[in-house]
Amino acid sequence: MTLIIIGAILIFVVSMIWMWHNLGNIEKPRKIAFMIIGLLIMYGFTAILYNISSSNIAYPSEEIQKTISNTLICVFTGLNALIFLPFIANLVDKILEEEIDKQQAKRRIIILLIIFVICIFVEKGYLESTQEGIINIYNEVQNAEK
């Protein structure tokens, strides 16, 4: 569990450094606001996706469900942030610096949305199989102890 927490922290740190860099010359308070809002949105999205993926899974106890939920939401929030937020930050910077026109910005947003939708389906399946795998391992350990 400690390795998972360390890994999640590293993912968040890398994501935040990458976002900060990609936001370019934007003022520090706006960078911080972008990062906080972006992470909150990613957390909300991940929590909703987790709840959808866990709706048909029977947990042995509420405590186990809470532990798995917190762990997976934390890890996947960091991964989602790492996948999307630096690219969105770069796009925001280019728009604000007027390095790209509205048409280019629209194309990039559409591409990001397509990738986002594809990731939703992949991540939902992965979250389901991960939960089932964790519960299977837990049940095997419980049965071995008896």
Side-chain angles (χ1 to χ4, degrees):
M1 185 68 148
T2 304
L3 289 175
I4 293 171
I5 293 170
I6 292 170
I9 290 169
L10 288 174
I11 290 169
F12 276 104
V13 169
V14 169
S15 177
M16 292 188 322
I17 290 170
W18 197 2
M19 277 188 283
W20 188 271
H21 173 74
N22 283 356
L23 286 169
N25 296 323
I26 296 172
E27 312 81 56
K28 289 179 183 179
R30 290 181 77 188
K31 283 184 179 184
I32 293 168
F34 176 91
M35 292 167 63
I36 291 170
I37 292 168
L39 289 172
L40 288 173
I41 290 170
M42 286 295 128
Y43 175 82
F45 163 75
T46 306
I48 290 168
L49 195 58
Y50 171 82
N51 287 327
I52 291 169
S53 71
S54 67
S55 62
N56 294 327
I57 297 176
Y59 282 91
S61 72
E62 191 174 316
E63 181 182 334
I64 292 170
Q65 181 180 10
K66 191 172 186 171
T67 301
I68 291 172
S69 170
N70 290 338
T71 303
L72 290 179
I73 290 173
C74 180
V75 169
F76 278 88
T77 296
L79 290 173
N80 289 333
L82 186 63
I83 292 169
F84 292 104
L85 293 180
F87 297 105
I88 294 170
N90 185 267
L91 182 59
V92 167
D93 181 54
K94 288 183 185 282
I95 291 169
L96 292 176
E97 295 292 326
E98 298 178 354
E99 292 179 25
I100 60 173
D101 61 27
K102 288 182 182 181
Q103 193 63 22
Q104 288 175 311
K106 284 180 186 178
R107 271 188 254 133
R108 290 184 184 186
I109 290 170
I110 289 169
I111 291 169
L112 276 172
L113 285 174
I114 291 168
I115 293 169
F116 185 72
V117 169
I118 292 168
C119 286
I120 286 172
F121 291 108
V122 171
E123 189 170 327
K124 181 185 175 293
Y126 193 75
L127 278 169
E128 286 174 351
S129 64
T130 301
Q131 292 172 76
E132 290 168 354
I134 292 169
I135 291 169
N136 288 339
I137 291 170
Y138 174 81
N139 288 335
E140 287 175 13
V141 169
Q142 292 300 314
N143 290 335
E145 291 179 354
K146 291 180 181 178

